[in-house]
Amino acid sequence: MAGTQQSEARGTRNGVTAPEQAFTGIRRSRQDVGNMKSDLASGLIHRTGRPR
């Protein structure tokens, strides 16, 4: 019975960890997109002298 409880506990931890890792990946991707938008915007401002 102890083996079953350990297996269930491991499964629960994995079940919690997977969404946390997915959320972290999504947040990182959103930051990357935001940074790219800023970089592109500053490049356009630098090139033209005015915001677009």
Side-chain angles (χ1 to χ4, degrees), residues 14-50:
N14 291 343
V16 169
T17 302
E20 288 175 345
Q21 290 175 340
F23 180 76
T24 299
I26 291 167
R27 185 171 51 213
R28 188 176 302 124
S29 294
R30 290 181 67 140
Q31 284 177 326
D32 289 346
V33 169
N35 290 339
M36 184 174 287
K37 283 174 63 174
S38 292
D39 292 345
L40 290 171
S42 67
L44 289 172
I45 292 169
H46 177 71
R47 188 179 321 154
T48 63
R50 59 184 161 75

Side-chain angles (χ1 to χ4, degrees), residues 1-16:
M1 196 66 159
T4 302
Q5 287 177 334
Q6 287 176 344
S7 178
E8 288 175 2
R10 190 176 313 113
T12 299
R13 279 193 305 275
N14 291 343
V16 169

